Amino acid sequence: FSTEHLPKMFAGLNLLRKIRIKKLNDESILAISTHCPHLEELSLKCCFGNDISLTCVLELLRKCPIISLSIPGVKGTGSGDMHIIDLCMASKTLVNLEVSSDLWNRDNDPQVNFFELPMAKRLCAERQMFMEEAAFKASGGRVKLTFLS
Protein backbone atom coordinates (compact mmCIF):
# COMPACT_ATOMS: atom_id res chain seq x y z
CA PHE A 1 0.00 0.00 0.00
CA SER A 2 1.07 3.59 -0.41
CA THR A 3 2.44 5.91 2.25
CA GLU A 4 -0.36 8.41 1.68
CA HIS A 5 -2.72 6.22 3.73
CA LEU A 6 -0.40 5.86 6.73
CA PRO A 7 -1.33 9.12 8.54
CA LYS A 8 -5.03 8.08 8.64
CA MET A 9 -4.06 4.62 9.84
CA PHE A 10 -2.28 5.98 12.93
CA ALA A 11 -5.33 7.96 14.06
CA GLY A 12 -6.81 4.92 15.80
CA LEU A 13 -3.60 3.66 17.42
CA ASN A 14 -3.35 5.90 20.48
CA LEU A 15 -2.28 3.01 22.75
CA LEU A 16 0.50 1.82 20.45
CA ARG A 17 3.82 1.38 22.29
CA LYS A 18 6.09 -0.28 19.73
CA ILE A 19 6.27 -0.15 15.95
CA ARG A 20 8.62 -1.37 13.23
CA ILE A 21 7.62 0.00 9.89
CA LYS A 22 8.93 0.51 6.38
CA LYS A 23 8.72 3.38 3.93
CA LEU A 24 7.59 6.28 6.07
CA ASN A 25 7.70 9.94 5.16
CA ASP A 26 7.52 13.16 7.17
CA GLU A 27 3.71 13.23 7.13
CA SER A 28 3.61 9.73 8.62
CA ILE A 29 6.15 10.61 11.33
CA LEU A 30 4.07 13.64 12.30
CA ALA A 31 0.91 11.49 12.37
CA ILE A 32 2.64 9.04 14.70
CA SER A 33 3.75 11.87 16.98
CA THR A 34 0.19 13.21 17.08
CA HIS A 35 -1.80 9.99 17.42
CA CYS A 36 0.53 7.66 19.34
CA PRO A 37 1.31 9.52 22.59
CA HIS A 38 2.45 6.35 24.39
CA LEU A 39 4.93 5.20 21.75
CA GLU A 40 8.15 3.96 23.36
CA GLU A 41 9.90 2.21 20.47
CA LEU A 42 10.10 3.15 16.81
CA SER A 43 12.19 1.33 14.26
CA LEU A 44 12.17 2.70 10.73
CA LYS A 45 13.27 0.17 8.16
CA CYS A 46 14.07 0.73 4.51
CA CYS A 47 13.61 4.48 4.67
CA PHE A 48 16.56 5.11 2.38
CA GLY A 49 15.43 7.34 -0.44
CA ASN A 50 12.35 8.53 1.43
CA ASP A 51 12.33 12.04 2.73
CA ILE A 52 12.31 11.86 6.51
CA SER A 53 13.57 15.08 7.99
CA LEU A 54 15.39 15.41 11.26
CA THR A 55 12.86 18.11 12.17
CA CYS A 56 10.00 15.59 12.16
CA VAL A 57 12.01 13.06 14.16
CA LEU A 58 12.72 15.76 16.76
CA GLU A 59 8.99 16.55 16.94
CA LEU A 60 8.30 12.86 17.55
CA LEU A 61 10.85 12.77 20.38
CA ARG A 62 9.30 15.84 22.00
CA LYS A 63 5.76 14.41 21.91
CA CYS A 64 6.27 10.70 22.63
CA PRO A 65 8.11 8.92 25.46
CA ILE A 66 10.46 7.18 23.01
CA ILE A 67 12.96 4.87 24.73
CA SER A 68 14.39 3.21 21.63
CA LEU A 69 14.68 4.84 18.20
CA SER A 70 16.18 3.41 15.01
CA ILE A 71 16.43 5.90 12.14
CA PRO A 72 18.90 4.47 9.61
CA GLY A 73 17.59 6.40 6.61
CA VAL A 74 17.48 9.86 8.15
CA LYS A 75 20.11 12.10 6.63
CA GLY A 76 21.59 15.14 8.24
CA THR A 77 22.10 18.58 6.81
CA GLY A 78 25.19 19.42 8.78
CA SER A 79 27.45 18.13 11.48
CA GLY A 80 26.42 14.71 12.78
CA ASP A 81 27.49 15.48 16.33
CA MET A 82 25.16 18.50 16.41
CA HIS A 83 22.28 16.34 15.16
CA ILE A 84 22.98 13.79 17.89
CA ILE A 85 22.92 16.55 20.50
CA ASP A 86 19.55 17.74 19.16
CA LEU A 87 18.13 14.20 19.26
CA CYS A 88 19.37 13.50 22.79
CA MET A 89 18.12 16.82 24.15
CA ALA A 90 14.68 16.51 22.52
CA SER A 91 13.81 13.56 24.75
CA LYS A 92 14.24 12.82 28.44
CA THR A 93 13.28 9.16 27.91
CA LEU A 94 15.53 8.15 24.99
CA VAL A 95 18.00 5.40 25.93
CA ASN A 96 18.83 3.60 22.67
CA LEU A 97 19.49 5.46 19.43
CA GLU A 98 20.45 3.77 16.16
CA VAL A 99 21.57 5.91 13.23
CA SER A 100 23.57 5.54 10.05
CA SER A 101 26.63 7.55 9.19
CA ASP A 102 24.39 9.45 6.73
CA LEU A 103 23.30 11.58 9.67
CA TRP A 104 26.55 13.43 9.07
CA ASN A 105 26.30 15.53 5.91
CA ARG A 106 29.39 14.86 3.82
CA ASP A 107 29.16 17.94 1.61
CA ASN A 108 31.74 19.78 3.73
CA ASP A 109 34.15 16.86 4.04
CA PRO A 110 37.62 17.11 2.62
CA GLN A 111 37.85 15.45 -0.75
CA VAL A 112 38.66 11.84 -0.02
CA ASN A 113 38.99 9.19 -2.65
CA PHE A 114 36.91 6.45 -1.07
CA PHE A 115 38.96 3.93 -3.01
CA GLU A 116 41.66 4.85 -0.52
CA LEU A 117 40.00 2.66 2.06
CA PRO A 118 42.22 3.40 5.10
CA MET A 119 41.58 7.15 4.82
CA ALA A 120 37.83 6.64 4.33
CA LYS A 121 37.62 4.28 7.32
CA ARG A 122 39.54 6.73 9.51
CA LEU A 123 37.22 9.59 8.55
CA CYS A 124 34.14 7.46 9.29
CA ALA A 125 35.59 6.34 12.64
CA GLU A 126 36.33 9.96 13.60
CA ARG A 127 32.75 10.97 12.78
CA GLN A 128 31.37 8.13 14.86
CA MET A 129 33.63 9.04 17.77
CA PHE A 130 32.42 12.67 17.67
CA MET A 131 28.79 11.53 17.59
CA GLU A 132 29.26 9.05 20.46
CA GLU A 133 30.89 11.74 22.56
CA ALA A 134 28.07 14.16 21.72
CA ALA A 135 25.43 11.60 22.75
CA PHE A 136 27.18 10.95 26.05
CA LYS A 137 27.53 14.65 26.91
CA ALA A 138 24.05 15.73 25.76
CA SER A 139 22.28 12.93 27.60
CA GLY A 140 24.49 12.66 30.67
CA GLY A 141 25.40 9.13 29.61
CA ARG A 142 21.77 8.01 29.27
CA VAL A 143 21.74 7.42 25.49
CA LYS A 144 23.57 4.48 23.93
CA LEU A 145 24.39 5.32 20.31
CA THR A 146 24.69 2.52 17.76
CA PHE A 147 25.67 2.86 14.11
CA LEU A 148 23.86 0.88 11.44
CA SER A 149 25.48 0.15 8.11
Side-chain angles (χ1 to χ4, degrees), residues 5-19 28 30-39:
H5 302 293
L6 286 174
K8 294 175 193 164
M9 184 178 85
F10 292 117
L13 300 174
N14 61 341
L15 297 177
L16 188 68
R17 294 196 183 281
K18 179 179 180 179
I19 187 170
S28 300
L30 292 175
I32 291 171
S33 69
T34 300
H35 299 294
C36 304
H38 303 290
L39 190 67

Side-chain angles (χ1 to χ4, degrees), residues 4-149:
E4 67 188 51
H5 302 293
L6 286 174
K8 294 175 193 164
M9 184 178 85
F10 292 117
L13 300 174
N14 61 341
L15 297 177
L16 188 68
R17 294 196 183 281
K18 179 179 180 179
I19 187 170
R20 290 179 186 208
I21 195 161
K22 296 179 181 182
K23 298 183 180 179
L24 289 184
N25 57 22
D26 273 353
E27 186 180 6
S28 300
I29 295 289
L30 292 175
I32 291 171
S33 69
T34 300
H35 299 294
C36 304
H38 303 290
L39 190 67
E40 296 175 347
E41 184 176 332
L42 176 63
S43 180
L44 304 179
K45 302 293 181 189
C46 300
C47 293
F48 298 98
N50 288 5
D51 293 327
I52 298 178
S53 69
L54 194 59
T55 303
C56 287
V57 174
L58 291 169
E59 184 69 16
L60 174 81
L61 286 171
R62 288 184 193 104
K63 288 185 172 184
C64 301
I66 300 289
I67 295 169
S68 183
L69 180 64
S70 179
I71 51 173
V74 175
K75 295 183 180 183
T77 57
S79 170
D81 54 343
M82 295 307 295
H83 295 318
I84 294 296
I85 290 169
D86 291 342
L87 289 164
C88 290
M89 294 184 74
S91 170
K92 300 293 183 210
T93 57
L94 186 64
V95 175
N96 296 306
L97 176 60
E98 295 179 337
V99 299
S100 75
S101 61
D102 289 339
L103 194 59
W104 194 296
N105 184 331
R106 296 183 178 133
D107 291 345
N108 297 324
D109 279 357
Q111 292 299 317
V112 175
N113 180 351
F114 280 88
F115 293 107
E116 297 174 16
L117 202 51
M119 177 65 167
K121 283 184 176 181
R122 188 171 69 232
L123 191 58
C124 186
E126 286 176 5
R127 275 193 204 109
Q128 289 181 355
M129 182 185 67
F130 288 137
M131 289 192 278
E132 288 169 348
E133 185 177 313
F136 183 82
K137 287 181 179 177
S139 70
R142 170 180 37 88
V143 175
K144 177 186 177 214
L145 183 62
T146 306
F147 295 95
L148 304 169
S149 39

